[in-house]
């Protein structure tokens, strides 16, 4: 009997659909035949990974758990995010100075002069600060006070002025020194602020004013938001691409991402503007800067924690070609190449090497085992090849084992002369025998449904394909009206069945972008959404997760008869099958893009007989359905066991669904 996982509501409606679908299926049976005896290409363990970029307040204000914005007074408007506070009749003055700072990389600090107790400053956080009742928050600051008498009161306050936690810091000396205190809020608040006032008349200099939850990912100081890293760990990603994205390129070369400025003590990491600060007029973010508190060392560490291969993408001497298009002259490219060489040494070199020693000094003597490196992000034109070639030559000479990723521009539909530019680079990179070629797709869901066969006839020249950024755009590329809805998720799943079937060619893929702050995003759709306290996964996330958790190690051919190949106009079943080497499980992934259940006869050929199985189904009622903060679990995978399976069995795929059938098998004899 066909087995269907029924969601609680609409049981009657579904039952009638099932009956009707069964009748249809009897009239016109669809058969799906898996050739277990004809294993095809190996599926790379890196097939499904993560793309990360500091966009949508994904790092500062997101993954990086720092709650204070502009903690080091290095924003061009040094007091941005800070306001003066005058309690009762308190008076005083606040100024930012840079004489005799404690860190040359972060020269500005604040001087607070109070004429009476209760004068000071308050920080607004990132659209407020999310704090939880009875959890500990670590406040720290560098400070000095020539008089040695000034006491500072630190308070977490709610928007209506209630003090949720407070602590006093005293005994500042005349030299810069770090002071810490623990704050334990009496209530949970998503929009708290941090107030710092003097307890008596006096003067104090403060810098690097910081507030972190004690509970970060693995409880590390200078740590990451645990809930957000958990989402990433739960993807069991094959790799983690960082730090972007266009952020690698910068609007100008002077504001490109430079990994060396992101390691060492956080206060010595020089802040720069975030390139998404002013990219979209409809989503301005004048307070968006990169502190690099989350820098390359932290990225490597997190990759290790979540079992993902680190995949840094580096600037190759080209600023963003959507913006300034600045190019470094070829005879000045060497420092860029040296940065790449040094990065490999930082990640993999012995502790006796210059950069390996820096890694060890940060707490990780063991190498990070870097295997992949991207040369540029979305670059195009012959200018890219002129820079890519010397990069590859120098890197391969010293580190032939590191796989290098070449760029082919942005999505062909969104940059000037896109299709021709992409073709030019694809051919050039294939000619140059690039290890891996990066391709990007930001398209309508219809394109993804129609492109499950995109790589079926793609030339096999030896270079592997990395689908390094993609996401279905329900309205248009980066439209503020795009939604993370079921239609987009199913179209991505249909596309992924095609990537998996072409695993001999496609060895990596990742959805982009990753994070979106509910209030502070610039680009949507995004895989994971969060506010200051909570986070939830989009339905698109669950597609990624199901493909990743049920990747399989080798492709199994699967034939489908009884249906026309599905398209965006003619919905149907998209399929891929694989085998997991360890368990021997046969995995069948099926996307049903139709509004009705579809009954299918599943046949396993090759002398194997399933003895038991499980179905994990991600489905919804309407293509516009989506997860939200209010309903984070509206669309989540549901797992049931399959009672009767054999070498042939019937199964009805739910309307609008992605189903993973996982079958434990035994030899038939
Ligand atoms: O994912 C958002 C942006 O899209 C990336 O930064 C860029 O590489 C692409 O154009």
């Amino acid at each position: 009997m066909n087995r269907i996982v029924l969601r609680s509501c609409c049981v009657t409606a579904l039952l009638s659909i099932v009956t009707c679908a069964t009748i249809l299926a009897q009239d016109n049976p669809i058969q799906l035949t898996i050739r277990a005896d004809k294993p095809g290409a190996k599926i790379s363990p890196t097939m499904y990974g993560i793309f990360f970029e500091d966009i949508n307040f994904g790092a500062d204000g997101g993954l990086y758990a720092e709650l204070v914005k502009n903690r080091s007074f290095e924003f061009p408007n040094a007091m941005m995010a800070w306001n003066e506070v005058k309690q009762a009749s308190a008076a005083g003055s606040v100024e930012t100075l840079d004489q005799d700072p404690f860190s040359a990389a972060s020269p500005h600090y604040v001087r607070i002069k109070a004429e009476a107790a209760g004068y000071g400053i308050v920080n607004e956080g990132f659209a407020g600060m999310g704090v939880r009742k009875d959890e500990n928050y670590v406040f720290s600051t560098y400070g000095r006070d020539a008089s040695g008498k000034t006491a500072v009161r630190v308070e977490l306050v709610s928007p209506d002025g209630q003090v949720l936690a407070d602590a006093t810091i005293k005994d500042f000396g005349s030299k810069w020194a770090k002071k810490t205190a623990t704050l334990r809020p009496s209530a949970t608040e998503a929009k708290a602020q941090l107030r710092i006032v003097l307890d008596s008349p006096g003067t104090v200099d403060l810098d690097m004013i910081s507030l972190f939850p004690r509970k970060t990912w693995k409880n590390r100081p200078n740590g990451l938001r645990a809930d957000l890293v958990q989402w990433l760990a739960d993807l069991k990603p094959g790799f983690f691409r960082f730090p972007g994205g266009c952020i690698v390129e910068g609007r100008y070369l002077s504001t490109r991402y430079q990994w060396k400025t992101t390691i060492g003590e956080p206060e010595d990491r020089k802040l720069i503007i975030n390139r998404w600060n002013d990219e979209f007029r409809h989503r301005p973010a004048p307070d968006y800067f990169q502190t690099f508190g989350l820098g390359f060392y932290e990225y490597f560490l997190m990759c290790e924690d979540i079992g993902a291969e680190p995949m840094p993408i580096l600037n190759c001497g080209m600023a963003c070609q959507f913006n300034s298009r600045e190019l470094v002259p070829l005879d000045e490219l060497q420092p860029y190449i040296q940065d790449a060489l040094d990065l490999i040494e930082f990640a993999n070199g012995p502790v006796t090497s210059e950069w390996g020693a820096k890694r060890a000094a940060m707490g990780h003597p063991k190498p990070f085992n870097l295997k992949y490196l991207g040369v540029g992000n979305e670059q195009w034109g012959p200018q890219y090849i002129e820079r890519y070639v010397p990069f590859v030559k120098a890197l391969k000479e010293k580190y032939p084992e590191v796989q290098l990723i070449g760029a082919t521009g942005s999505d062909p539909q969104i940059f000037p002369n896109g299709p021709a530019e992409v073709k030019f680079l694809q051919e050039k990179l294939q000619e140059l025998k690039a290890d891996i070629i990066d391709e990007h797709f930001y398209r309508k869901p219809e394109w993804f449904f129609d492109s499950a066969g995109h790589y079926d006839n793609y030339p096999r020249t030896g270079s592997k394909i990395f689908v390094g950024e993609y996401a279905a755009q329900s309205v248009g590329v980066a439209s503020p009206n795009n939604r993370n809805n079921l239609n987009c998720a199913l179209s991505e799943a249909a596309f992924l069945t095609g990537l998996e079937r072409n695993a001999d060619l496609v060895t990596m893929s990742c959805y982009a972008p990753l994070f979106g702050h509910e209030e502070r995003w610039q680009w949507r759709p995004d895989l994971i959404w969060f506010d200051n306290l909570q986070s939830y996964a989009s339905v698109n996330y669950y597609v990624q997760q199901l493909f990743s958790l049920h990747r399989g190690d080798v492709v199994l051919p699967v034939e489908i008869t009884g249906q026309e190949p599905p398209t965006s106009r003619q919905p149907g079943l998209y399929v891929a099958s694989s085998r997991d080497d360890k368990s021997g499980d046969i995995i069948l992934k099926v996307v049903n893009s139709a509004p009705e259940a579809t009954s299918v006869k599943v046949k396993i050929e090759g002398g194997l007989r399933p003895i038991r199985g499980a179905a994990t189904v991600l489905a919804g009622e309407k293509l516009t359905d989506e997860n939200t903060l209010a309903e984070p679990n509206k669309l989540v995978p549901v797992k049931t066991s399959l009672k009767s399976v054999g070498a042939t069995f019937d199964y009805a795929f739910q309307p609008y669904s992605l189903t993973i059938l996982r079958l434990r098998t035994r030899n038939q004899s």
Side-chain angles (χ1 to χ4, degrees):
M1 203 188 106
N2 291 337
R3 181 170 175 79
I4 300 220
V5 181
L6 296 175
R7 300 186 71 82
S8 52
C9 54
C10 301
V11 171
T12 328
L14 265 176
L15 278 175
S16 58
I17 289 169
V18 172
T19 318
C20 157
T22 310
I23 294 163
L24 281 177
Q26 281 160 359
D27 291 349
N28 178 23
I30 297 178
Q31 184 164 306
L32 222 151
T33 308
I34 301 170
R35 297 302 310 254
D37 55 341
K38 294 235 157 42
K42 284 202 174 318
I43 303 175
S44 169
T46 55
M47 186 63 148
Y48 304 109
I50 293 176
F51 165 98
F52 178 83
E53 175 166 24
D54 191 2
I55 182 172
N56 304 319
F57 286 82
D60 285 298
L63 187 59
Y64 185 49
E66 173 65 84
L67 296 171
V68 178
K69 187 165 69 190
N70 192 14
R71 64 184 175 185
S72 58
F73 304 93
E74 295 304 322
F75 285 16
N77 167 0
M79 285 302 288
M80 191 176 234
W82 294 94
N83 279 305
E84 194 185 30
V85 176
K86 295 176 183 174
Q87 289 172 334
S89 57
S93 66
V94 169
E95 58 183 335
T96 49
L97 303 166
D98 61 0
Q99 295 98 39
D100 189 20
F102 86 96
S103 161
S106 165
H108 296 94
Y109 56 88
V110 68
R111 175 164 292 169
I112 308 173
K113 273 189 199 167
E115 287 163 21
Y119 182 82
I121 54 177
V122 62
N123 187 272
E124 67 189 27
F126 295 89
M129 298 176 185
V131 295
R132 288 179 201 284
K133 184 174 189 282
D134 293 339
E135 292 198 357
N136 289 330
Y137 292 82
V138 182
F139 171 85
S140 66
T141 183
Y142 284 83
R144 68 178 174 191
D145 161 30
S147 76
K149 291 192 198 135
T150 314
V152 164
R153 193 154 26 91
V154 181
E155 296 170 338
L156 270 171
V157 285
S158 66
D160 60 1
Q162 304 233 31
V163 176
L164 306 173
D166 68 298
T168 301
I169 298 186
K170 13 186 204 211
D171 302 329
F172 290 100
S174 57
K175 297 229 155 33
W176 287 108
K178 189 170 184 174
K179 297 280 179 189
T180 59
T182 301
L183 297 173
R184 201 177 164 82
S186 55
T188 295
E189 173 58 61
K191 299 225 170 253
Q193 299 206 331
L194 182 71
R195 190 157 72 191
I196 298 169
V197 291
L198 271 58
D199 252 352
S200 59
T203 301
V204 70
D205 293 342
L206 301 175
D207 201 353
M208 277 301 276
I209 301 174
S210 164
L211 186 72
F212 269 91
R214 170 98 60 202
K215 274 194 202 160
T216 55
W217 171 255
K218 293 197 178 283
N219 296 324
R220 291 194 183 114
N222 192 49
L224 308 181
R225 235 177 96 163
D227 60 329
L228 297 185
V229 183
Q230 193 59 54
W231 286 116
L232 307 187
D234 291 347
L235 283 170
K236 296 225 184 317
F239 64 88
F240 183 81
R241 171 184 175 147
F242 63 94
C246 291
I247 214 163
V248 167
E249 303 156 62
R251 183 176 290 272
Y252 304 101
L253 284 173
S254 59
T255 49
R256 71 189 187 276
Y257 197 105
Q258 298 190 59
W259 75 269
K260 286 178 180 167
T261 65
T262 76
I263 61 165
E265 293 301 327
E267 55 271 23
D268 295 331
R269 305 180 188 180
K270 200 170 163 39
L271 170 143
I272 61 169
I273 190 169
N274 186 302
R275 60 100 64 233
W276 299 105
N277 178 305
D278 50 4
E279 181 69 15
F280 293 130
R281 236 180 278 156
H282 59 277
R283 297 292 298 178
D287 55 345
Y288 203 0
F289 290 82
Q290 298 181 83
T291 62
F292 299 119
L294 166 53
F296 262 44
Y297 177 77
E298 290 78 19
Y299 286 126
F300 278 119
L301 209 57
M302 193 190 68
C303 289
E304 186 172 84
D305 293 343
I306 65 176
E309 297 289 352
M311 185 196 285
I313 308 290
L314 294 186
N315 187 297
C316 65
M318 303 175 81
C320 184
Q321 288 167 275
F322 286 113
N323 303 143
S324 75
R325 302 186 198 167
E326 222 185 320
L327 294 174
V328 82
L330 289 177
D331 58 0
E332 291 171 27
L333 190 61
Q334 188 49 35
Y336 291 72
I337 296 178
Q338 194 56 49
D339 273 359
L341 291 165
D342 292 342
L343 177 63
I344 301 177
E345 186 174 288
F346 177 73
N348 296 354
V351 296
T352 48
S353 63
E354 182 190 350
W355 290 95
K358 292 189 200 290
R359 179 193 71 238
M362 290 187 76
H364 203 284
K366 258 185 29 214
F368 283 119
N369 197 14
L370 175 69
K371 298 184 188 128
Y372 304 97
L373 185 69
V375 180
N377 175 46
E378 285 186 339
Q379 321 309 155
W380 62 84
Q383 301 87 343
Y384 175 60
I385 296 297
E386 284 163 10
R387 284 157 185 78
Y388 169 86
V389 169
F391 254 84
V392 171
K393 186 167 179 294
L395 292 172
K396 283 289 180 190
E397 246 164 50
K398 194 153 182 206
Y399 299 107
E401 70 284 7
V402 175
Q403 296 276 293
L404 301 177
I405 301 163
T408 55
S410 185
D411 184 304
Q413 293 184 349
I414 59 175
F415 68 107
N417 203 19
E421 294 284 12
V422 169
K423 189 163 179 283
F424 164 75
L425 284 180
Q426 281 168 336
E427 287 172 1
K428 269 282 172 223
L429 290 173
Q430 284 163 1
E431 210 176 287
L432 291 166
K433 306 237 161 294
D435 294 326
I436 302 167
I437 300 177
D438 183 7
E439 302 191 345
H440 295 181
F441 303 102
Y442 290 103
R443 307 265 172 106
K444 296 282 269 227
E446 291 79 6
W447 182 87
F448 284 94
F449 279 124
D450 291 336
S451 302
H454 186 75
Y455 288 105
D456 289 353
N457 300 310
Y458 200 95
R460 266 66 176 168
T461 60
S463 299
K464 300 297 180 193
I465 295 291
F466 170 30
V467 182
E469 293 184 29
Y470 72 92
Q473 316 282 301
S474 60
V475 177
V477 183
S479 161
N481 301 320
N482 282 338
R483 305 306 306 182
N484 278 101
N485 63 27
L486 182 62
N487 190 36
C488 290
L490 291 178
S491 75
E492 289 150 7
F495 182 64
L496 288 180
T497 61
L499 301 196
E500 204 169 282
R501 279 188 292 99
N502 286 287
D504 64 309
L505 175 72
V506 182
T507 54
M508 302 172 167
S509 65
C510 49
Y511 183 102
L514 181 64
F515 288 123
H517 187 294
E518 284 277 317
E519 294 173 51
R520 302 303 314 275
W521 56 269
Q522 292 81 48
W523 177 302
R524 62 191 309 154
D526 303 297
L527 206 58
I528 299 164
W529 287 88
F530 63 94
D531 68 7
N532 287 350
L533 287 173
Q534 303 167 80
S535 53
Y536 70 93
S538 64
V539 58
N540 315 69
Y541 171 96
Y542 291 111
V543 166
Q544 297 290 314
Q545 191 186 44
L546 289 177
F547 273 79
S548 180
L549 298 187
H550 302 281
R551 187 190 77 237
D553 297 298
V554 62
V555 174
L556 295 179
V558 53
E559 253 172 43
I560 186 154
T561 55
Q563 74 158 17
E564 290 297 316
T567 65
S568 55
R569 288 165 312 284
Q570 182 171 333
L573 303 182
Y574 296 80
V575 299
S577 180
S578 60
R579 190 193 64 219
D580 178 70
D581 280 345
K582 199 158 157 227
S583 60
D585 286 358
I586 291 177
I587 300 163
L588 178 63
K589 302 184 179 85
V590 179
V591 177
N592 183 9
S593 60
E596 63 274 351
T598 305
S599 291
V600 168
K601 194 168 277 308
V602 181
K603 210 171 157 201
I604 316 283
E605 287 198 345
L608 290 176
R609 190 172 65 85
I611 45 170
R612 60 173 191 275
T616 307
V617 182
L618 178 63
E621 286 165 24
K622 295 194 302 298
L623 289 173
T624 49
D625 282 354
E626 56 182 274
N627 291 336
T628 56
L629 256 190
E631 271 189 297
N633 296 323
K634 184 170 176 151
L635 300 158
V636 293
V638 177
K639 185 174 174 185
T640 53
S641 55
L642 295 174
K643 294 246 165 55
S644 57
V645 283
T648 302
F649 62 96
D650 293 330
Y651 188 87
F653 292 95
Q654 283 192 47
Y656 297 143
S657 65
L658 162 63
T659 300
I660 311 289
L661 296 184
R662 203 162 171 126
L663 307 167
R664 185 58 49 90
T665 58
R666 179 187 287 161
N667 280 335
Q668 226 159 5
S669 52

